[in-house]
Amino acid sequence: MDAVDGTEHYEKTSSEPPASLLTIVLDTNPHAWALLQPTLTFSQAVANLLVFINAHLAFNNANKVAVIASHIQRAEFLYPSPHSSLPTPLNGVPPTPHDPDTEMGNGPPTAPKPRLTLNGPRGPPSTNGSTPSLPRSNTAHPTDDANIYRPFHQVSTAIFSSLARLLATTTPASLASTPTTALAGALTLALTYTNKQTVLLTPTSSTTGATTSSLNAPVPLTSRVLVLSVSAASPTQYIPFMNTIFAAQRLQIPIDVLSLSGSSSFLQQAADATNGTYISLDSRQGASATGAPLAHGLLPTLLLAFLPDATSRAHLISPTQASVDFRAACFCHRKVVDIGFVCSICLSIFCEPPEGAVCLTCGTHLGLGDYGARPAVVMRRKKKKDKGRREGTGTPAPG
């Protein structure tokens, strides 16, 4: 049939670089940001982060971005906004509802939109005389400001409104009850969203519906996770945190970490296990008392170290860690230990032998041997004196 047809049958491949998904986990712990305020405020960090997001979206029209807040007691999406019911296309910009320029239905015509007023009000007037709040991502018009690129405006508006909603729902009782951040839950959300976007962009077979696995098929999406941390992960989250590390390692998703305060051993292990980049910009490590290096060095670090995706990093030399803290947390008291006892069946770690030498996870009897017994004391042998050496028989003094 090929000879009769006479046309060339070949597989169409795209030479364009694949789309890149950047999932940012932003640590919004109020306790940590209050301690970091003399050197870097939360508003400055968010402004620098938005510039970094805009640079990522400007690289490729198909690039996508997601921002997740790692807050106390919970993790929540900041972008795409969970309150928006609109679908999100490849470039991460939700379409405007009832847009006559893109609407192609046969339904009744909608009311015309008001024309853009350059010097008019930027938002709806307030009814109680107060300053109007930030609009939501699904109600904000994409052309409110003609001086801002539409995708940048959509992302910044959605993030600002989601942050305002998140901080407004944070009560003093929740701040007093839980001083730690839900970092493991935020990483779980990031990996779940990444896997969902990868499945949606993977071509499927029209006959069986199964995912096609061709060696010549281009990669539909390159994904990575960036963690902007200001507080160390709690040892109580060690088990779910390690589960997320193993899942990211299996999915080949690098986890990049930018630590602004302190140094977390769990985040170091996450970056090392997934071939990510770990950089610490702690103000206590070489910064001046004014905090200028931390405030002025955040954006250059984001652009130079974390902007290249997995495809570009193959041609670059990424920053590496000088040393990695491989300490683990015990399963009994949730303490970070250097030396512990490991179950040979389920690999549970204990800081001390459990009661009855029975593993608390799987119930296996642990063979501790002679641990705890009094060590045998070996007497030190006394040196024997030389019997042939007598008084006056030594070497005579000269002269």
Side-chain angles (χ1 to χ4, degrees), residues 162-187:
S162 300
L163 278 175
R165 189 184 307 110
L166 177 65
L167 297 179
T169 55
T170 304
T171 60
S174 60
L175 290 176
S177 61
T178 306
T180 58
T181 179
L183 186 57
L187 287 176

Side-chain angles (χ1 to χ4, degrees), residues 61-354:
N61 188 34
N63 283 358
K64 306 180 66 175
V65 67
V67 183
I68 301 174
S70 176
H71 205 55
I72 54 174
Q73 295 183 343
R74 68 184 188 274
E76 185 176 331
F77 269 96
L78 299 180
Y79 183 84
S81 177
H83 300 274
S84 176
S85 59
L86 299 175
T88 303
L90 283 178
N91 57 358
V93 182
T96 305
H98 305 292
D99 193 348
D101 296 334
T102 57
E103 193 172 8
M104 300 179 63
N106 296 325
T110 58
K113 296 184 299 182
R115 306 296 296 178
L116 175 65
T117 304
L118 295 180
N119 297 326
R122 297 182 58 185
S126 177
T127 57
N128 55 1
S130 60
T131 305
S133 59
L134 287 174
R136 292 186 179 181
S137 60
N138 56 345
T139 59
H141 199 280
T143 57
D144 283 345
D145 194 345
N147 298 322
I148 302 178
Y149 183 47
R150 178 177 178 178
F152 300 166
H153 175 70
Q154 289 282 354
V155 173
S156 61
T157 303
I159 291 178
F160 279 136
S161 59
S162 300
L163 278 175
R165 189 184 307 110
L166 177 65
L167 297 179
T169 55
T170 304
T171 60
S174 60
L175 290 176
S177 61
T178 306
T180 58
T181 179
L183 186 57
L187 287 176
T188 304
L189 283 179
L191 295 179
T192 304
Y193 181 79
T194 301
N195 184 66
K196 180 180 179 180
Q197 296 298 320
T198 304
V199 171
L200 291 177
L201 295 179
T202 302
T204 56
S205 176
S206 58
T207 56
T208 61
T211 303
T212 59
S213 58
S214 176
L215 297 178
N216 298 326
V219 179
L221 187 69
T222 58
S223 308
R224 54 197 172 102
V225 178
L226 173 61
V227 180
L228 188 63
S229 173
V230 293
S231 59
S234 175
T236 57
Q237 305 179 20
Y238 175 73
I239 298 178
F241 196 90
M242 295 305 297
N243 290 336
T244 58
I245 293 178
F246 296 148
Q249 190 177 19
R250 181 178 180 84
L251 296 175
Q252 297 181 357
I253 300 176
I255 298 179
D256 301 330
V257 180
L258 178 59
S259 178
L260 300 179
S261 178
S263 180
S264 176
S265 60
F266 300 157
L267 291 177
Q268 293 183 20
Q269 297 177 28
D272 180 75
T274 59
N275 295 327
T277 302
Y278 180 89
I279 295 179
S280 178
L281 290 181
D282 192 356
S283 59
R284 294 168 295 183
Q285 300 177 359
S288 61
T290 59
L294 182 58
H296 298 165
L298 176 59
L299 183 58
T301 304
L302 288 173
L303 295 177
L304 296 178
F306 299 104
L307 186 58
D309 57 357
T311 305
S312 302
R313 291 182 185 183
H315 308 282
L316 301 174
I317 300 178
S318 303
T320 57
Q321 305 180 55
S323 60
V324 181
D325 189 359
F326 288 106
R327 292 184 300 171
C330 65
F331 286 31
C332 49
H333 300 91
R334 298 296 189 269
K335 298 188 303 182
V336 179
V337 295
D338 297 326
I339 301 176
F341 300 87
V342 181
C343 176
S344 59
I345 303 299
C346 63
L347 302 180
S348 298
I349 304 173
F350 304 100
C351 59
E352 59 185 16

